């Protein structure tokens, strides 16, 4: 993650911040505050701190990751060379705004879902921008969600194209059980109750009900219960779940709701930096 952060700084500064270097005397010392312009859940403070401290600036975090901040609340303070503060401002704010936006939305939808189903988990997906997966997943965790997979080696997730490639659900699970370590859970994506029952009988640990309506999910879970296939099985639901319909999906009895929009359509939290000279 440090290498990625350093690449952001290099990318943004380029051969030098010509505006700041032209206007600000070399040894000017300044104080700065990072302020939330709207309420939300703070995430990414340690990363922003690392960015500023990488150039010798002093940083004090006032709102730790996971804190609820109000509009005009101060998240952190920075002191040191004014040129360095201004040159690093945008890189630090960009990741702080993105991560806080993800954490805020995760916190809000999780609260809505748990109000009707205290046991349901809200999870992210791998639908993130390249290079940002670890940061996005960290933000989801800070907001109270589940990270799902950080990378492809975390667990087995058999999707529709895998099933097509090997010739069916039973064969896909059978191959996975033979070739993958017993330490890895096996999840499989299905689109109807028949395939869900087949996957459960074949020994899947987790079944993902993909692109199904809340009514179809409820019916599928009822069928699994009736045939004694629900025990020791996690039910994940994915596809088109958002803040507007989260309650309907939470009420189905599913164990996990995975929401791609938390990362692929994130709305950044509005955060700014104000500078003052000593």
């Amino acid at each position: 993650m440090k290498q990625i952060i350093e690449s952001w700084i290099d990318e943004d500064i380029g051969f030098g911040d010509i505006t700041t270097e032209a206007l600000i005397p070399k040894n000017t010392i300044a104080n700065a505050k990072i302020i939330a312009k709207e309420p939300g859940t703070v995430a990414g403070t340690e990363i922003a701190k690392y960015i500023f401290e990488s150039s010798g600036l002093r940083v004090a975090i006032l709102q730790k990751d996971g804190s609820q901040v109000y509009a005009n609340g101060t998240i952190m303070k920075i002191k040191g060379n004014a040129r360095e503060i201004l040159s690093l401002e945008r890189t630090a704010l960009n990741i702080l705004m993105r991560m806080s936006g993800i954490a805020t939305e995760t916190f809000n939808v999780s609260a809505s879902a748990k109000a009707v189903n205290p046991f349901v988990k809200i999870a992210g997906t791998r639908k993130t921008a390249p290079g940002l997966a670890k940061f996005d997943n960290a933000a989801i965790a800070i907001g109270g969600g589940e990270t799902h997979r950080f990378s492809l080696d975390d667990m087995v997730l058999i999707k529709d194209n895998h099933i097509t490639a090997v010739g069916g659900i039973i064969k896909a699970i059978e191959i996975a059980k033979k070739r993958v370590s017993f330490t890895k859970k096996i999840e499989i994506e299905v689109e109807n109750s028949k395939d869900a029952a087949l996957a459960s009988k074949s020994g899947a640990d987790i079944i993902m009900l993909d692109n199904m309506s809340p009514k179809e999910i409820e019916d599928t879970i009822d069928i699994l219960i009736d045939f004694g296939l629900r025990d020791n099985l996690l039910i994940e639901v994915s596809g088109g779940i958002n803040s507007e319909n989260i309650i309907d999906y939470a009420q189905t009895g599913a164990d996990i709701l995975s929401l791609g929009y938390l990362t692929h359509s994130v709305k950044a939290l509005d955060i700014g930096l104000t500078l003052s000279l000593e």
Side-chain angles (χ1 to χ4, degrees), residues 17 20-28 80-88:
D17 181 355
T20 296
E21 291 173 7
L23 297 177
I24 309 298
K26 189 174 182 179
N27 296 319
T28 301
N81 186 279
R83 283 189 175 187
E84 298 293 347
I85 293 173
L86 294 174
S87 295
L88 296 171

Side-chain angles (χ1 to χ4, degrees), residues 21-156:
E21 291 173 7
L23 297 177
I24 309 298
K26 189 174 182 179
N27 296 319
T28 301
I29 301 299
N31 294 301
K33 293 181 180 179
I34 291 182
I35 298 171
K37 298 181 180 180
E38 59 181 331
T41 303
V42 176
T45 57
E46 291 295 336
I47 295 165
K49 180 182 179 183
Y50 175 81
I51 290 170
F52 287 119
E53 288 185 339
S54 68
S55 289
L57 299 167
R58 293 165 57 190
V59 180
I61 296 174
L62 304 185
Q63 298 287 344
K64 294 182 179 180
D65 286 353
S67 300
Q68 298 303 308
V69 66
Y70 297 100
N72 299 316
T74 300
I75 297 172
M76 66 173 58
K77 293 181 178 180
I78 306 105
K79 183 174 183 177
N81 186 279
R83 283 189 175 187
E84 298 293 347
I85 293 173
L86 294 174
S87 295
L88 296 171
E89 172 186 358
R90 180 44 52 196
T91 301
L93 288 180
N94 280 351
I95 192 61
L96 190 61
M97 291 169 67
R98 179 181 176 88
M99 289 183 67
S100 295
I102 292 171
T104 298
E105 187 64 13
T106 303
F107 179 86
N108 291 340
V109 296
S110 182
S112 296
K114 288 181 181 296
V116 297
N117 182 354
F119 304 105
V120 72
K121 297 180 183 297
I122 301 299
T125 71
R126 287 177 54 251
K127 295 178 181 178
T128 65
L132 290 175
K134 291 181 174 63
F135 302 91
D136 287 356
N137 277 300
I140 288 172
I142 290 167
E146 299 285 330
T147 57
H148 213 290
R149 294 188 296 171
F150 270 89
S151 55
L152 291 171
D153 59 1
D154 278 343
M155 61 175 283
V156 176

Side-chain angles (χ1 to χ4, degrees), residues 9-27:
I9 296 171
D10 290 340
E11 178 184 57
D12 195 42
I13 293 178
F15 292 106
D17 181 355
I18 59 174
T19 307
T20 296
E21 291 173 7
L23 297 177
I24 309 298
K26 189 174 182 179
N27 296 319

